[in-house]
Amino acid sequence: MNLLYAIICEDAEDSLNLRRQNRPAHLQRLQRLQDEGRLILAGPHPAVDSPDPGENGFSGSLIVAEFPSYEAAQAWANEDPYLKAGVYQRVVIKPFLKVFPK
């Protein structure tokens, strides 16, 4: 039985260019999770209160997805192109229980 995990990522300072360069590979991995029916939601945290932060960039990302174990979620997160490229300076993984929407 798969459980949900929240993958909470914090961007490194001045990582917007790295984020832009590695976005296609990052999105490709998320698309695979979606195609498998395991992705609940994913997206970035704008660094400012705007849907288009422009050069202000982002402060991190949130991914909620199904994995068979914490270890599997950690292994998946460890292979993220953003983490490997230095976009993310910190990644926290927590089990997640979805209550709403039902």
Side-chain angles (χ1 to χ4, degrees):
M1 174 182 168
N2 283 347
L3 299 174
L4 293 178
Y5 293 89
I7 302 172
I8 305 154
C9 310
E10 182 180 316
D11 281 15
E13 285 206 34
D14 299 319
S15 61
L16 183 57
N17 285 335
L18 287 174
R19 181 181 269 274
R20 288 175 174 154
Q21 292 168 12
N22 290 278
R23 188 170 192 260
H26 173 75
L27 294 180
Q28 186 177 37
R29 292 184 82 235
L30 291 171
Q31 184 64 54
R32 281 197 300 269
L33 278 181
Q34 182 172 311
D35 292 347
E36 295 167 2
R38 296 172 41 207
L39 183 64
I40 304 304
L41 64 88
H45 301 286
V48 294
D49 191 14
S50 171
D52 181 5
E55 291 305 310
N56 291 299
F58 301 91
S59 63
S61 300
L62 172 65
I63 300 163
V64 178
E66 293 180 357
F67 293 94
S69 66
Y70 176 87
E71 292 77 17
Q74 181 72 59
W76 186 89
N78 286 345
E79 293 301 314
D80 193 286
Y82 281 174
L83 182 63
K84 289 184 166 195
V87 174
Y88 295 152
Q89 69 176 354
R90 183 169 173 236
V91 175
V92 175
I93 299 171
K94 296 181 179 187
F96 182 79
L97 297 176
K98 181 181 171 197
V99 176
F100 287 100
K102 293 184 180 197

